[in-house]
Amino acid sequence: MWKYLTKEQSQEFLLSLLLIKEPNPKKYLQKLYAISNNIQNNYRIIQIPKRNGSLRTIYEPSITLKHIQRQILTNILNNKTISQYAKAYHKGISLKENAIVHLKQKQILKLDIKDFFPSIKFYHVYKSCFPIEYFPKEIGMLLTYLCTYEDYLPQGAPTSSYISNLVLKDFDEELGTWCTNNKINYTRYSDDLTFSGDFDCSLIIKKVNQLLKPYDLKLNETKTKVIKNSRAQIVTGLVVNQKLQTRKKYRQQIRQEVYYIKKYGLDSHLQKINVINKEKYLNSLKGRINYCLQIDPTNQEFCQYWQFLNHNYHQN
């Protein structure tokens, strides 16, 4: 139907998307096209050190472009459904939902997609998010330009995370169905693919490579991990061996801090660890305790910690 649309009708469609706050239709269109034609000048590139010593590149959009992207996310992208197997970048989904699928399993296989965001290209964004079936081609292309940087998905743009789920929706569904048929549990959290059950790891890796190929994506073989249930099985930071809980080291640190507060008093403890802001420290400690209880509400020890802090160090 879009091929019969006049130029004026196409512009009306674009105006109806309300991407920027500009009452003048002519200026509205001029601003959008000006930004899309100079997309590189609307990003600030930031490099953040990773734990392994390499650098992570973050693309921070300008104020105007960020507003446009948020409008695209709210008014267009959030109306599109993602796969049930995608457990990141979706409202109402947490780390707990990703980890609980893999509870009490014989083994866990963790795979990582190499250079995830930069490897998702313009064509796949256009096809998955703004296809000709729903958008006039010119507008679909414009929206894709507004959400990409030099032909790929920029990490740091408000739209990128949800777009990655939309691009991989068919991949997730096909892989998820194959896993279900083979009695394997599967979830994807961004670029992290997790499988659990009793299986031959090489068959899964072969299947994943096969399904990633049409997307021009590859596995980072250096990050492949197989974890048997004789060891601590960690999925997105949570232990899944027998019951869902935070890491042992994380809980031990909280346990130690509460012990010192009880024994020496809060002021003395803060002086010992050289912390000045009492309120900030208490909020942090309570937040960590609350996180443990969100993951494992039955933990009586941490319930007592929560009650102790609230009773003795109540903040107005």
Side-chain angles (χ1 to χ4, degrees), residues 203-234:
L203 292 179
I204 294 179
I205 294 172
K206 182 180 178 181
K207 184 66 177 179
V208 171
N209 278 321
Q210 174 194 334
L211 294 178
L212 283 177
K213 199 170 183 181
Y215 299 87
D216 300 318
L217 296 173
K218 297 179 181 179
L219 290 176
N220 185 343
E221 296 179 0
T222 63
K223 290 189 175 181
T224 298
K225 291 182 181 178
V226 180
I227 313 171
K228 303 291 185 181
N229 59 8
S230 56
R231 296 166 48 208
Q233 294 174 316
I234 309 293

Side-chain angles (χ1 to χ4, degrees), residues 5 12 58 63 66 72 75 80 82 121 141 148 165 174 215 218 227 233 257 267 273 277 301:
L5 216 63
E12 283 295 323
I58 303 296
I63 293 173
K66 186 179 287 187
I72 292 172
N75 298 336
K80 298 176 179 289
I82 62 173
K121 302 304 182 183
M141 295 289 281
T148 54
N165 282 336
E174 190 170 351
Y215 299 87
K218 297 179 181 179
I227 313 171
Q233 294 174 316
E257 290 181 51
D267 292 336
I273 61 175
N277 193 321
E301 178 189 5

Side-chain angles (χ1 to χ4, degrees), residues 106-139:
K106 184 175 182 179
Q107 66 176 348
I108 286 175
L109 170 65
K110 298 170 76 174
L111 304 177
D112 179 88
I113 300 175
K114 187 176 182 180
D115 299 327
F116 186 53
F117 285 99
S119 297
I120 297 176
K121 302 304 182 183
F122 183 99
Y123 168 75
H124 293 294
V125 175
Y126 172 74
K127 183 181 176 183
S128 302
C129 302
F130 315 108
I132 192 68
E133 292 88 350
Y134 300 102
F135 297 89
K137 186 176 181 181
E138 181 185 353
I139 292 177

Side-chain angles (χ1 to χ4, degrees), residues 20 90 128 198 202 204 285 290:
I20 53 176
H90 185 48
S128 302
D198 187 7
S202 64
I204 294 179
L285 181 56
N290 187 47

Side-chain angles (χ1 to χ4, degrees), residues 6-110:
T6 65
K7 182 179 179 181
E8 289 73 21
Q9 288 173 322
S10 183
Q11 289 178 347
E12 283 295 323
F13 183 92
L14 187 54
L15 288 166
S16 71
L17 296 177
L18 302 174
L19 299 182
I20 53 176
K21 296 177 180 179
E22 175 53 67
N24 185 303
K26 187 176 179 180
K27 289 182 179 179
Y28 175 100
L29 296 170
Q30 285 175 342
K31 286 182 180 179
L32 281 183
Y33 282 104
I35 290 172
S36 68
N37 291 332
N38 295 277
I39 205 72
Q40 287 98 331
N41 295 330
N42 281 275
Y43 280 98
R44 183 167 72 100
I45 299 176
I46 306 167
Q47 291 193 315
I48 301 173
K50 294 183 184 179
R51 281 182 292 182
N52 63 7
S54 62
L55 295 173
R56 184 189 307 280
T57 303
I58 303 296
Y59 299 84
E60 183 182 15
S62 66
I63 293 173
T64 303
L65 179 56
K66 186 179 287 187
H67 175 80
I68 292 169
Q69 290 170 340
R70 283 177 175 158
Q71 289 298 100
I72 292 172
L73 179 64
T74 302
N75 298 336
I76 301 173
L77 300 178
N78 280 342
N79 295 323
K80 298 176 179 289
T81 58
I82 62 173
S83 170
Q84 62 178 314
Y85 303 102
K87 302 297 183 180
Y89 314 133
H90 185 48
K91 192 175 181 180
I93 297 292
S94 67
L95 296 173
K96 186 174 182 178
E97 277 71 32
N98 183 59
I100 201 167
V101 175
H102 306 287
L103 193 63
K104 298 180 181 179
Q105 298 298 316
K106 184 175 182 179
Q107 66 176 348
I108 286 175
L109 170 65
K110 298 170 76 174

